[in-house]
Every structure is written in C-alpha cells, then in structure tokens.
Amino acid sequence: MKIRYVFLILSVIQLISANSQTITHGPVIGGMTDSQFKIYVRSVDAVNVRVDVSESILFLTPTSATSTIDFQKDSSTIITVSGLQPNTEYYYKVFLDNVHVFNDQITTFPSDGQIGNYVFGVGSCVSHNHPQQIVDAIRMNYPSLFIYTGDWGYPDQLYGNSSNYFPSITGAIENSYHDRYADLYAKSMLSSIPIDYIYDDHDFVKDNCSGQSASSIFFNPNTQQTSLNEYAYSPSLKRNSVLGYDAYFPHYNLPDTSNGIYHSYKMGNTEFFVLDLRFSRTANTACFVQDSTGKWVFNPDSSHTILGDAQKLWLSNALLNSTADWKFIISPVTYNKSFSQIMNLMIALQDFNFNYNGNTIDGMFMAGILCDGWAGFPNDREWLFDVCQNNNVDNVIIISGDTHSSAIDDGVNSGFPELMAANLAQENSKIAYYIDSIYVNSLFNMGGQGISNYNFNYAFGKVETFGADSCRLSLIDNYNDLIASYTVLSSSISGNKFPSNYLDVNIYPNPSKGSLIINTSNSFDGLFQIYSSDGKLQMQSEIKFNNNTNIDVSELKNGIYLLTLKPEGMQSVITRYFIVAK
C-alpha cells in the first residue's frame, strides 16, 4: 500500500508539470490476456502516444509501446502493450508527445489453464440519464475483468429517432463511445480494470432490431389489437456499428467481422464465449404467423435464427475444443428456456386486454416483446443446449442481460445455470418479481430482485470461480448489498457430466376445448395439479408417463388455469398456464 502511495505522489508531481496536452477520453483497458493488453486513448491536441509499463514504480526498465493519434478515427488510437508476465500487477504511464499525462495500475490475466480462484463482474443496461454510481460497488469486489453485456448508453434514444437510426447519423457512433468513456463514475474503472463489451439492440441499431430490420409492436387503442411490423434498414448501418466497435473499443480478436463481433478468450481455467445476437439475427416477429381466423400463432421456420450459420459453426467448434474447467457463454439477451411458456401464455391471451405499468395492452403485445430473447428463437436455443448435452460439454454457465432486472436460475428453468444481470444504471423493470408473482415457482429459482425481497436498486453480477470445484454466482446492488447468490458445483464434484435438471414441458392445444396433452422431454413420474385463477385446487393426481399424456379437462369451466408438475424426488415445481375455451 505504501508503494502505491509513493507512486501516486510521484505521478502527481509529474502531472503538475505537464503542458496543455490532455487525454480527452480514456484510457480504457481491454483485450487483456496473460501477456498483453490494449489501451484506448483519445486526444485532440497531441500526435504521439507512448505507454510505459513496469512492475516497479521507478520505471527503470519499462516495457514501452507507441502509436500516433489517428485523426481519421476521431483523434484516437488503440495501442497494444505486449511482452508481459502472467498474473502480474503493473504500473503504467501514458505520455502525449513525451509529456506524462496519466498513470494507473492493472493486472494481467493468469496463464491459460492455470487453476485458481478468480473474480469477474458482469452487467448491462446503462441509461444515458443514470450515472454509473454502481461502479464504486463493483470496484469494492476487486474483479479481474468486467463485461458490459449490451445497451451501454442507449445511443438509439440519445442520437437516433424513428426515421433515422443512430448508425446513419454522422458522428453518432463516435459520440456514443465518448459518452461511455466520459462517465464520471466509470472512468476510474475503465482505466484500471480490464473491460470487455458486446452490443445489444439499443447500441447496435435500434430497439428490438435484427440484422436487417427493427420490430414495431404497437397496441392500437381503437381496434384493441396489437400490430406487428418490421421496418427494414440499410445493411450499412450494422456495418457502421461493427466498424465503430473495431475502431473505438480495445477488443479481443474478432474471428469474422463480416458476420459480427462474436469472440472468445481465456482467463486461467475459465473461457468466455461472447455472442453477437444482433448482426445475423432474422426478424424478431417472423416467428409469428396468422392463421385462417386471423389469430397469431407461434410458428418459426427452420431459417429463423438468432446466431446465424457462421456464428453457430464457430461456437460449436469453440465449445467442443475448449479445455477450460468453466465455460461462460455471454448472451446479451435472456436464455432461460422457460420464458417460452410465458410467451405462449401471452399468445393464448391475445384477445385479452390488461393494464401494464398504467398502459392498456393485450397478450400479443407482451408476446411481441418477449420474442426478442431466445424464447423467440427456439431452434437455435435447443441447438445450443443439444451441442453441450450431446457432446458432454460440462460446466457451462449463461451470463445474460437485457431485461432491466437481475435474477439467478440453477438450470432447472433455464436449461443451464444462468446469471441475468441487467440493470447497472437503469430503472428496474421488476420482471423477475412479476414472474415470481404469477408462477407458483419463479423461473429464476435461486433468487433475484423482487424474489423474497424488495430490492430494486441498480445491480451487477459477480462471478467467483474456486479452482475447478465450484463457481459462485451473485447479484450485488449499488450499496454493495448481496441480493442473491448460488453456488454451481462442477461436474467433477456433482458427478454429472452435464449437470442440468431441466425438464422441457409443453402443453397443447392452448386454449383447450376439453383435452390437454402434456409433452415432456423426458419421462415423468410425480404429482400433477391444476389450479383455477383464484388459487383453488381443481384437479390432482399421481401420474407416470414416458413423453406425453392426455388430461381430460372437459369438466373445467372457461377460464385461465395453472398446471403444476412436481417430479418425484425433486423440490422444484414446473408450472404452465393454459386456457379453457369451449
């Protein structure tokens, strides 16, 4: 600690003597490995940039890297500093035209495969109207890495509009990076903790966008119905977003920028697979079609994708060839497989109007919103699950965002253990709370915001790996208070090569006229119950079947019902809503 104080004092003395050269934005540290890192610097009044790195505060024999400011790239540069030692704390100085203007400290990653105890942070959804006060809490937990998982700044709202999306507006992409790097609270973290970042819809092109269009979900108060539309945009817009990422963020190696910015990297015995879920995605609402009566039906065809073929090939190869003890899939949107049940319920309620946050909507409006996640892309969702299950790819954990709230599932509902952290600096949507209020058991069964608590503060995800044995997933608010936590045991400890208790359950037809078919991914042996909307038990029985069974519900009156399935020997209860309409 004394050494750090000496370094600070010496640096302040040097900085006082500096001339007018200043860093306008940055430094931002990214692309960290066990031997190098990248550093972004922007300056409007300098030409040459040098970064000196040393294990000693005296900088007697520093490692140096140089570059020149690129005035064609917003007066910025990204410098790669290499030749470093693994898991080593370094002091660094930044010089503009040979004048020392900045200093800080960073620590390189441990060697690839090195077993140890590691900490990293995750989170998404930073509104431009909400300063990142949560950064103080993040820094108090000493992460070796922080990953922004999308919607960092909402530039589509700040710079774009309904007719001109922000990537088409001159200077908007550059300004979006200025905003991220200028945040009063975030600056201290960006210069001292390695950062990774993947965009989502708001910082890619437009809210609820795909790779070629933006969805419009509109409830018409006159017709009392929801319309679903897609508005195509020029391919140059998504290309601009990729070029901006490449120019202004110190990123990891990108395998194929013609298909987005997906990438992977390692930190000790962990590996990260960061997904681009916008660039190659097909139109969100293409999963819905109208039948002969005009009713909306969920019926995505085989071409409906959230990943795209190129990214699927890359991801499958990367997962199958990974030797990491822990594999983290970074998904900007929620993966939770059971979200499909909520979406199906909303489709069944498409003729019902209800109040949501003071607005009148119908079930189809909510279904149109929910299809923006993996729930709208079941082909790719099940493909990913099958790749891991069929090839014994173990210890896979999903890190997700997008929902403006935070929660944890152990895999019973999600398929994989999932940490959803999506309100770094954004008003809480309370989605986990609403789901927990509707369902008998939450779709995030290990807790979260509004699940047995009333904590709707800003939050981030903290992940701690303990060697090859276990991994703790936690949610922490901006006061550094713990919201929820769950420890995942590795397959070597749990004895399961693919540790998932997920049971896929589908019920149809929904609405039902008297017969209800229950279809499951595995055989079922346990208790089934049916409750009416007022909470009264209507039916129950012990049942056993292989993959499907038929339940007679002809004696039930028209209305909304809750089906619960409790497998023998399991604490979790699986819930599904259905409608009887004779």
Side-chain angles (χ1 to χ4, degrees), residues 124-125 149-157 165-167 180 197-211 213-215 217 233 237-238 241 275-279 281 284 332-333 368-369 371-373 401-404:
S124 71
C125 303
T149 56
D151 294 345
W152 188 6
Y154 292 78
D156 66 329
Q157 299 176 1
Y165 300 160
F166 83 95
R180 296 176 185 118
Y197 163 53
I198 182 73
Y199 49 58
D200 196 25
D201 51 350
H202 288 284
D203 41 355
F204 177 59
V205 173
K206 186 74 171 68
D207 186 22
N208 294 331
C209 66
S210 66
S213 62
S215 303
I217 302 98
Y233 63 80
L237 272 65
K238 66 178 183 179
S241 287
L275 306 184
D276 183 335
L277 300 184
R278 295 294 165 182
F279 192 94
R281 160 194 302 238
N284 284 353
V333 300
I369 298 297
C371 76
D372 185 63
D402 182 56
T403 61
H404 299 186

Side-chain angles (χ1 to χ4, degrees), residues 88-108:
T88 301
E89 184 177 56
Y90 285 95
Y91 303 95
Y92 77 86
K93 294 180 179 180
V94 178
F95 296 82
L96 296 179
D97 293 336
N98 294 319
V99 177
H100 174 210
V101 296
F102 189 87
N103 53 264
D104 213 323
Q105 294 166 265
I106 51 92
T107 301
T108 53

Side-chain angles (χ1 to χ4, degrees), residues 343-354 362-364 511 560 579:
M343 188 173 70
N344 290 337
L345 172 64
M346 292 297 104
I347 297 171
L349 293 172
Q350 61 185 279
D351 293 329
F352 292 80
N353 294 347
F354 50 91
D362 62 9
M364 203 60 215
I560 302 174
I579 297 172

Side-chain angles (χ1 to χ4, degrees), residues 91-305:
Y91 303 95
Y92 77 86
K93 294 180 179 180
V94 178
F95 296 82
L96 296 179
D97 293 336
N98 294 319
V99 177
H100 174 210
V101 296
F102 189 87
N103 53 264
D104 213 323
Q105 294 166 265
I106 51 92
T107 301
T108 53
F109 283 175
S111 299
D112 290 353
Q114 179 66 48
I115 296 176
N117 300 339
Y118 307 121
V119 180
F120 66 92
V122 296
S124 71
C125 303
V126 178
S127 171
H128 54 272
N129 294 322
H130 298 250
Q132 294 179 67
Q133 298 174 343
I134 197 168
V135 165
D136 292 339
I138 295 172
R139 287 171 60 86
M140 291 172 65
N141 286 272
Y142 302 103
S144 297
L145 166 72
F146 189 85
I147 307 172
Y148 283 97
T149 56
D151 294 345
W152 188 6
Y154 292 78
D156 66 329
Q157 299 176 1
L158 191 58
Y159 299 107
N161 54 55
S162 58
S163 57
N164 294 298
Y165 300 160
F166 83 95
S168 68
I169 300 172
T170 302
I173 289 178
E174 289 80 359
N175 287 335
S176 71
Y177 283 93
H178 296 173
D179 296 337
R180 296 176 185 118
Y181 300 159
D183 183 277
L184 180 63
Y185 294 92
K187 289 170 67 174
S188 61
M189 181 173 76
L190 299 178
S191 66
S192 60
I193 297 175
I195 303 295
D196 191 24
Y197 163 53
I198 182 73
Y199 49 58
D200 196 25
D201 51 350
H202 288 284
D203 41 355
F204 177 59
V205 173
K206 186 74 171 68
D207 186 22
N208 294 331
C209 66
S210 66
Q212 63 270 344
S213 62
S215 303
S216 172
I217 302 98
F218 176 70
F219 177 78
N220 189 321
N222 296 321
T223 63
Q224 296 288 290
Q225 290 183 327
T226 291
S227 61
L228 306 177
N229 295 290
E230 295 287 338
Y231 294 97
Y233 63 80
S234 168
S236 64
L237 272 65
K238 66 178 183 179
R239 176 56 49 199
N240 289 346
S241 287
V242 170
L243 292 175
Y245 181 89
D246 184 45
Y248 308 127
F249 184 75
H251 56 76
Y252 287 94
N253 178 55
L254 304 176
D256 180 8
T257 55
S258 67
N259 284 291
I261 60 172
Y262 54 84
H263 56 277
S264 65
Y265 52 95
K266 300 176 182 178
M267 181 176 71
N269 63 329
T270 67
E271 188 165 5
F272 302 88
F273 307 88
V274 184
L275 306 184
D276 183 335
L277 300 184
R278 295 294 165 182
F279 192 94
S280 296
R281 160 194 302 238
T282 50
N284 284 353
T285 60
C287 62
F288 300 117
V289 296
Q290 288 181 293
D291 63 17
S292 58
T293 67
K295 298 292 186 183
W296 289 105
V297 179
F298 183 68
N299 187 29
D301 63 27
S302 60
S303 66
H304 193 54
T305 180

